[in-house]
Amino acid sequence: MSDTTSRLQADYLTCSLCSQPFRQPKTLPCLHNFCKACLSQYLEEEMKGGRASTFLCPECKEKIYVPDPSKPANRWATQFPTNFTLSGMVEAIAEEAEAKGRGIAMVKEARERRGLVPDTADSSSPVPTRKQREGSKEKEMTKENSQDSTVSPDVETTLARLEKLQTELMKENQRMDAHILAIDTCEAEEKRRLEQSFAKIYMLLEARKSQLLEELSTNLAQEKGRLQQMGQGFSNDMESVVSCMDLLNGLESNPVGDDVVYDMLLAIGDQVKEIKARQASLVPTRSIRFEQTLEAARSVLNLVNDLGQISISTSSLDSPVSEADGDGDNKRMAQQRSYDSDDDKVQTKIRSKPKFLTAVSTRQPDGTVQQVYDLAVTANGVIVMTSYGSNVVQAAQKSDTGSYSIFTRLTLDSEPKCVAAIAAFYVAVTGTSCIYILSIDQKLSLHRKIDTGKNYQGIATYSESSLIVTSQRPACIDFIGLNGFISETVDRDHTTGQILLRQPQFMATSKNGVIFVTDLGKTPRLISVNNAGKVNFECSADQGKSEEGSDTQVSLKVPQGVCVDSQGHVFVVDRAAHKVVLLTSEGVKVKDILTAEEGLTDPCAIAVDNEDHIYVTNEFNEVLIFQVR
């Protein structure tokens, strides 16, 4: 046996328990190998103290879990895989040694038969002559050559087998590397799925929270109305009782006939029975339409309280209540019927114009103008603007004198599109197949780049840890976390199954999770959906005015930028009409709040700050700032 073979057998092919070549080697999960019999004996001794489901590796002392611990301990070794590679190597070395030993024995036996190497001393054997000795030498040399030729093929065969085993070991290592890579990939995939699941759960919880708060507000308002109705009924009943008492007390000073008194007492008795019957009955539940009308009225009243310059008059197309229905109950029933009517309409009027504050110019010191495509306002009042036709993002802030000026610029590696503020010092910008997270301190700097593989357009903040973005190919809305994982994709109306968007542009969200998207498809429109894809309302140029000529119907020719203020009021830019339209959260038009009279010649993007100041881009080279309240 060669030195290399001996070292191979001693270092890699020997069991550490019995110090002998492997016999049916078993591989543990820690990749150490032991003879099957040795491992069985070791486990049987280890488990004498009681049953268990694990044991320590004899080599590295790592905890090993038994696949089926219910079997006897001396049978545990059979549950681990056999290392056929080691078995083959041990077998090859044994065959090599056996072949070499057999060849040497055959040479020795042949030489003994020819008398060259006598087995024992024999005095009767003749002494070979010189010629015989020379012939014997020639035969011996020939035999040695024959011996070499006999042994050589066995060595070559063994080397070939070892090379084959080496190739198999390399393949095994490659398979192990592939398994390790698969495990890493599986781990990353599972982490991604967990993050997506928890992000989706967070969004669902946020939506459920908003829904519960809305239901709570509605139920409280309904209960308050019911109690007020009951209180009004009790007041009317009290007035009736007082009137009956006054009438009976007046009989002493104004005596009348018995027939009149009898009729009066019967009437009073009927009135008392009616009062008792009303007290025993429950207040009837109002219709769903009436509840929806109250909710819409509350939204409009909130708008009145916020803007402070709106007067509302609500009128029904039904005929006015006649004097014959003069008692309190009939009036309330007539009022409820008027609310239940489908022809209700709200007339809203703004008495004052928004106040122009200042303008932000994007003209650079060299005289060139950086065209503005979209803008966002951070919580600390910094205006961040993306550029049209270049890779520049710029930011402006307010000085002590009240004017705004550009104080920093940043060049990205692709053209930015839309921007959304995600924190006081961070904004998110959509780019080519990516989303940029920019930080704002003394300057703009790239905080993180999220590769998405999609060319997103519009962007808005959905929660503290997630964004919503619009994609045109395919046309959809994606919910994406700040870690880059897409948790949800909405592309169809979940009630009708129809495609939601064709060519989405700008987008915005309200505090309760309602999404507003401008779409420049075949029919330009503003669409409002919830996070599940249910359409709340649509506003397009095809709607026009109602048959009665009401201006509460929204007609948008080319809707572009859209934003939502702190109270849920919607501002949408109609670029073709050179105006900004104010809507309620339900899509009811309030007024054309900004028009050409305020200097709008070519508006595009719009944003709102914490104080509900409106920022509108104009002619792509300036930002106009207005105070609405």
Side-chain angles (χ1 to χ4, degrees), residues 115-305:
L116 300 178
V117 182
D119 191 14
T120 57
D122 191 358
S123 58
S124 61
S125 299
V127 178
T129 63
R130 180 179 179 182
K131 186 176 182 179
Q132 289 177 341
R133 287 196 300 271
E134 291 177 355
S136 297
K137 290 181 179 180
E138 293 178 358
K139 292 180 179 180
E140 185 177 355
M141 293 177 63
T142 304
K143 187 61 179 179
E144 288 178 357
N145 293 334
S146 175
Q147 179 184 354
D148 294 339
S149 62
T150 303
V151 177
S152 179
D154 293 335
V155 175
E156 292 177 356
T157 303
T158 304
L159 290 176
R161 295 183 64 179
L162 288 176
E163 290 178 355
K164 182 178 180 181
L165 288 175
Q166 183 182 9
T167 304
E168 292 179 355
L169 287 174
M170 293 178 63
K171 291 182 178 179
E172 287 291 337
N173 289 334
Q174 292 177 356
R175 282 197 290 268
M176 292 296 295
D177 293 340
H179 287 313
I180 294 173
L181 180 60
I183 291 173
D184 294 339
T185 305
C186 180
E187 179 184 6
E189 180 66 20
E190 289 298 324
K191 288 183 179 179
R192 184 186 67 82
R193 291 178 59 187
L194 285 174
E195 290 180 356
Q196 288 182 349
S197 300
F198 277 98
K200 184 175 182 180
I201 290 172
Y202 180 78
M203 288 189 293
L204 292 176
L205 289 176
E206 286 292 328
R208 182 58 177 164
K209 173 185 174 183
S210 301
Q211 181 182 1
L212 290 176
L213 290 175
E214 184 178 358
E215 291 178 357
L216 177 63
S217 176
T218 302
N219 292 335
L220 290 177
Q222 179 181 0
E223 187 63 24
K224 181 179 179 181
R226 289 162 60 90
L227 293 176
Q228 290 177 350
Q229 186 176 357
M230 293 177 64
Q232 185 63 37
F234 290 148
S235 298
N236 294 336
D237 293 338
M238 181 63 70
E239 292 178 0
S240 299
V241 171
V242 172
S243 299
C244 292
M245 293 177 63
D246 293 341
L247 185 60
L248 291 176
N249 292 330
L251 293 178
E252 297 179 357
S253 59
N254 298 306
V256 294
D258 294 338
D259 295 338
V260 176
V261 173
Y262 181 75
D263 293 338
M264 189 181 301
L265 291 176
L266 289 178
I268 293 174
D270 293 338
Q271 184 69 21
V272 171
K273 290 180 180 179
E274 184 179 351
I275 291 174
K276 289 182 178 181
R278 279 200 299 269
Q279 291 177 349
S281 63
L282 296 175
V283 178
T285 305
R286 293 174 293 204
S287 65
I288 296 177
R289 172 63 180 168
F290 183 55
E291 293 295 338
Q292 293 175 348
T293 305
L294 286 182
E295 183 64 27
R298 279 193 292 270
S299 300
V300 176
L301 289 176
N302 288 333
L303 184 63
V304 175
N305 295 330

Side-chain angles (χ1 to χ4, degrees), residues 242-517:
V242 172
S243 299
C244 292
M245 293 177 63
D246 293 341
L247 185 60
L248 291 176
N249 292 330
L251 293 178
E252 297 179 357
S253 59
N254 298 306
V256 294
D258 294 338
D259 295 338
V260 176
V261 173
Y262 181 75
D263 293 338
M264 189 181 301
L265 291 176
L266 289 178
I268 293 174
D270 293 338
Q271 184 69 21
V272 171
K273 290 180 180 179
E274 184 179 351
I275 291 174
K276 289 182 178 181
R278 279 200 299 269
Q279 291 177 349
S281 63
L282 296 175
V283 178
T285 305
R286 293 174 293 204
S287 65
I288 296 177
R289 172 63 180 168
F290 183 55
E291 293 295 338
Q292 293 175 348
T293 305
L294 286 182
E295 183 64 27
R298 279 193 292 270
S299 300
V300 176
L301 289 176
N302 288 333
L303 184 63
V304 175
N305 295 330
D306 294 333
L307 299 181
Q309 300 293 336
I310 302 176
S311 62
I312 299 178
S313 61
T314 305
S315 61
S316 174
L317 295 179
D318 296 341
S319 58
V321 181
S322 62
E323 295 182 359
D325 299 330
D327 62 5
D329 292 337
N330 291 334
K331 286 183 179 180
R332 285 191 297 275
M333 293 175 63
Q335 184 180 5
Q336 180 170 341
R337 286 195 300 269
S338 67
Y339 277 122
D340 292 338
S341 172
D342 292 334
D343 296 330
D344 294 344
K345 57 183 180 179
V346 178
Q347 297 176 354
T348 308
K349 181 179 180 181
I350 293 184
R351 295 176 177 175
S352 61
K353 292 287 185 180
K355 180 182 178 181
F356 173 73
L357 298 179
T358 185
V360 182
S361 176
T362 61
R363 186 176 299 278
Q364 301 182 16
D366 58 358
T368 60
V369 176
Q370 194 73 48
Q371 291 187 326
V372 179
Y373 181 71
D374 191 21
L375 77 163
V377 185
T378 63
N380 54 358
V382 176
I383 307 173
V384 181
M385 298 164 282
T386 60
S387 301
Y388 182 77
S390 69
N391 298 359
V392 177
V393 179
Q394 52 191 347
Q397 62 183 359
K398 191 175 182 180
S399 63
D400 296 336
T401 60
S403 60
Y404 284 82
S405 61
I406 306 294
F407 72 95
T408 180
R409 290 182 174 87
L410 176 65
T411 302
L412 304 176
D413 55 5
S414 65
E415 181 178 351
K417 297 174 184 176
C418 294
V419 58
I422 56 178
F425 300 98
Y426 293 92
V427 294
V429 179
T430 54
T432 303
S433 301
C434 65
I435 295 177
Y436 301 100
I437 306 298
L438 307 182
S439 62
I440 311 168
D441 192 3
Q442 299 299 324
K443 62 178 182 178
L444 280 172
S445 58
L446 179 61
H447 176 70
R448 185 183 180 190
K449 180 181 178 181
I450 303 173
D451 294 323
T452 61
K454 285 186 176 181
N455 291 329
Y456 290 123
Q457 180 74 19
I459 187 170
T461 303
Y462 191 76
S463 66
E464 294 180 355
S465 59
S466 63
L467 304 166
I468 55 174
V469 287
T470 58
S471 172
Q472 294 185 353
R473 293 184 181 179
C476 63
I477 300 174
D478 282 345
F479 293 77
I480 184 169
L482 297 180
N483 53 10
F485 294 126
I486 299 175
S487 59
E488 190 72 23
T489 298
V490 177
D491 57 357
R492 293 181 180 272
D493 187 341
H494 85 107
T495 56
T496 63
Q498 296 181 352
I499 297 176
L500 280 177
L501 305 171
R502 298 294 181 183
Q503 190 179 349
Q505 295 291 315
F506 298 88
M507 69 183 314
T509 57
S510 63
K511 288 184 177 180
N512 56 358
V514 180
I515 304 169
F516 303 89
V517 183

Side-chain angles (χ1 to χ4, degrees), residues 43 51-55 64-80:
L43 293 175
R51 298 194 60 84
S53 60
T54 62
F55 65 92
I64 306 299
Y65 291 87
V66 182
D68 186 4
S70 61
K71 293 183 179 180
N74 58 359
R75 298 291 303 278
W76 283 2
T78 60
Q79 301 181 35
F80 295 100

